[in-house]
Amino acid sequence: MTVDFHSLRRGDRLPPTLLSVGAAEVRAYLAATGEPEERWTAIAPPLALGAWAIAALLAEMPLPQGAVHSAQEFEFLAPVPIGSVVSVTLQVVQQSVRQGTNIVVFEAELGAGATALRGRATVAAPLPVALEAAAR
Amino acid sequence: MSAPPVVAPVTRRIDQARVEAYAHAARDWNPIHTDRAAAAAGPFGQPVAHGMLVLALVSDAMTAAFGERWAAGGTLKVRWRAPALQPVDVTAVVTLRRCEGGVATYDVSCHNAAGEQLLSGTATVPWDDAAP
C-alpha cells in the first residue's frame, strides 16, 4: 500500500526497505551520470546510495502532481562495499504548509548496522485545492 | 597535510537519453523527467532532468579531488535554483571557501551554458590542515 504525500505529518515513518548494492546497478548508475567506472570498483558511489534511498521513498510514496524536489542534504558517513545489502529507513522530520504548498522534509538513513549515509530531502507540492484553483 | 586541493570543474551534456538512463539506474520514473505529455502539464511545461543527476556532477568533481575520502566523511547541502531543461550542458563548479577545524568547506554550484544557476550549496570534506 502506498502513502499519500499530503497525509504525512512530522514523526511519520515509512516502512523500512532493504537495498542490494550490486555491481551491475553501480555500473548502470555510473554510465547514466557519466562518472568514470574505474573509480568505483570496490565501494558504491555515495550519491548513488542517496539516489537509491530516494527511490525507496518514491516506491512507498508516489509524488503528487506538481511536486518538486527542492533541496537535499547528505552526510556520507562510511563507505558501502559493492555487494552489500543495506537497510533504508525514512521518516518525516518537518511538514508545513505555505501559500497553498505542502512542504515535507524526509530524513533517510541507510546502512548495514551502523549508518553509512544520512540524507534529508525537501519536497514541495501544491495542495490539491491549490491545483484546482489554478485550473479554474 | 597540505592545503586542500583545488577541485576541477566538471561539464557534461544532459540530454533525454541520459535522463532516461538515469531514471532506470536511479529507479526514479517520475514522468516529469521522462514523459513529454505529462511534463507539459507540470510546473516546467517540458521534461526536466532529475535534480540528482545534475548534483551528480558535483559528486563527480569531489570524487576526482578526494577519492574515497569523499565517500567516507563528505557532506553536501544544496538547493535547486532552476530546472535543467534538456538538452543542456551543465558545469559543476566547486570553490574552496575555508579550511578550519579539520574540515574543508567548498561552495558548490551548477550552471547551464547561459550561466543560469541550476543549484547551489556547500560541500565539506574532512581535512586536517594542522597536520604536517
Side-chain angles (χ1 to χ4, degrees), chain A residues 19-20 25 28-29 31-36 39-40 43 46-47 50-52 54-55 58 63 65-79, chain B residues 12 18 21-22 24-30 32 41 43-44 52-53 55-57 59-61 63-64 67-68 70-80:
Chain A
L19 172 67
S20 294
E25 287 84 357
Y29 175 86
T33 60
E35 191 169 349
R39 283 185 191 157
W40 301 105
I43 65 171
L47 206 64
W52 294 328
I54 291 170
L58 295 174
L63 291 177
Q65 185 182 354
V68 175
H69 183 188
S70 60
Q72 183 67 52
E73 300 177 30
F74 285 115
E75 296 173 74
F76 307 130
L77 302 169
Chain B
R12 193 157 292 135
R18 188 179 292 282
Y22 183 84
H24 174 74
R27 304 162 200 162
D28 181 350
W29 290 102
N30 187 335
I32 197 173
F44 308 117
M52 288 287 291
L53 175 55
L55 184 59
L57 274 71
S59 190
D60 186 341
T63 301
E68 290 191 14
W70 174 238
T75 74
L76 267 174
K77 183 175 183 177
V78 300
R79 180 168 290 278
W80 284 279

Side-chain angles (χ1 to χ4, degrees), chain A residues 7-121:
Chain A
S7 73
L8 291 169
R9 296 293 177 267
R10 183 179 176 187
D12 286 351
R13 290 176 180 274
L14 280 69
T17 58
L18 290 177
L19 172 67
S20 294
V21 182
E25 287 84 357
V26 168
R27 283 196 299 273
Y29 175 86
L30 295 171
T33 60
E35 191 169 349
E37 189 177 307
E38 59 272 18
R39 283 185 191 157
W40 301 105
T41 55
I43 65 171
L47 206 64
L49 299 171
W52 294 328
I54 291 170
L57 171 63
L58 295 174
E60 297 295 335
M61 186 209 65
L63 291 177
Q65 185 182 354
V68 175
H69 183 188
S70 60
Q72 183 67 52
E73 300 177 30
F74 285 115
E75 296 173 74
F76 307 130
L77 302 169
V80 173
I82 293 172
S84 304
V85 176
V86 295
S87 65
V88 182
T89 61
L90 298 156
Q91 181 179 9
V92 176
V93 293
Q94 289 181 41
Q95 185 271 326
S96 61
V97 174
R98 269 180 255 161
Q99 298 178 329
T101 298
N102 189 13
I103 302 166
V104 181
V105 180
F106 299 90
E107 183 170 279
E109 289 194 346
L110 179 153
T115 301
L117 176 147
R118 185 177 296 118
R120 282 192 172 205

